Amino acid sequence: METTSSTETTFRDATVDDVPVLVALVESAYRGDASRAGWTTEADLLDGQRTDPEGVEAVVTDPASRLLVVERDDRIVACCQLEHRGAHAYFGMFAVSPEAQGGGLGKTVIAEAERRVRAEWGATEMHMTVIKQRDELIAWYERRGYRRTGRMSPFPYGDERFGIPQRDDLEFELLIKDLA
């Protein structure tokens, strides 16, 4: 298991033992009142859960995926999913603890994720999907070099594993960054 250090921040692949902490981290970054402490909250768009232990464990155990864990002072403070999809990689399940947001950690994590998929998988592009109504978040990704494609996919209405929508016009937009 490769570990990379940058000052006091370390990166490693998640294990099944990390699943409960990772579920709590993702939930804290996106759902409920606790998520409002950070700027990544989806609490005004969605109620309910963002993920569940089965979903996180599926990413951790999938041979084509990894869940990158970010620690500071022996505490998990961020994570992201990386999935090998041929010439490109998929970036998802990105969460930074609300109290750690706004200090540059997200930029560090996404840069390390991009470096890893280039080095380990030879990926030439990173793909992600973002709820199109998340203007501030999309703008943040655009500042990191991601571009909007206008390619939409439907939100999974009726599947409460992904949350309970508070509006009926949610959909995902594909964002892409050239890594070559």
Side-chain angles (χ1 to χ4, degrees):
M1 176 169 22
E2 177 188 346
T3 301
T4 304
S5 289
S6 169
T7 63
E8 79 280 83
T9 303
T10 60
F11 297 87
R12 65 174 174 82
D13 289 344
T15 68
V16 173
D17 291 340
D18 295 319
V19 168
V21 173
L22 292 168
V23 170
L25 170 67
V26 171
E27 294 299 313
S28 75
Y30 291 98
R31 296 291 197 274
D33 287 336
S35 70
R36 294 181 195 279
W39 67 274
T40 60
T41 184
E42 295 172 342
D44 294 330
L45 299 174
L46 295 154
D47 277 336
Q49 68 180 32
R50 176 70 157 36
T51 192
D52 57 30
E54 296 77 19
V56 174
E57 186 170 336
V59 173
V60 170
T61 59
D62 181 342
S65 281
R66 65 168 23 125
L67 195 54
L68 189 61
V69 168
V70 184
E71 294 177 313
R72 283 190 173 162
D73 301 320
D74 297 319
R75 192 171 77 82
I76 295 175
V77 294
C79 68
C80 66
Q81 171 190 5
L82 302 173
E83 185 177 322
H84 190 194
R85 296 183 178 177
H88 77 270
Y90 178 79
F91 180 84
M93 209 180 295
F94 184 31
V96 175
S97 174
E99 55 271 6
Q101 292 178 19
L105 180 59
K107 293 176 201 170
T108 301
V109 174
I110 201 166
E112 177 64 11
E114 292 165 358
R115 186 197 69 74
R116 285 181 183 230
V117 301
R118 274 192 313 267
E120 297 173 20
W121 296 334
T124 57
E125 287 183 337
M126 184 81 90
H127 291 199
M128 70 174 71
T129 55
V130 179
I131 295 174
K132 76 172 184 180
Q133 288 81 1
R134 302 287 319 276
D135 295 327
E136 186 179 4
L137 183 59
I138 290 171
W140 187 87
Y141 285 122
E142 287 178 315
R143 291 191 299 275
R144 313 276 93 66
Y146 288 80
R147 69 182 192 286
R148 298 182 84 156
T149 65
R151 292 172 26 204
M152 303 296 174
S153 57
F155 185 86
Y157 284 94
D159 188 342
E160 291 189 6
R161 290 178 303 155
F162 300 99
I164 302 167
Q166 300 303 297
R167 47 195 290 177
D168 62 4
D169 62 343
L170 300 178
E171 60 184 343
F172 295 103
E173 182 171 3
L174 176 66
L175 305 183
I176 296 177
K177 181 176 181 177
D178 182 6
L179 300 177

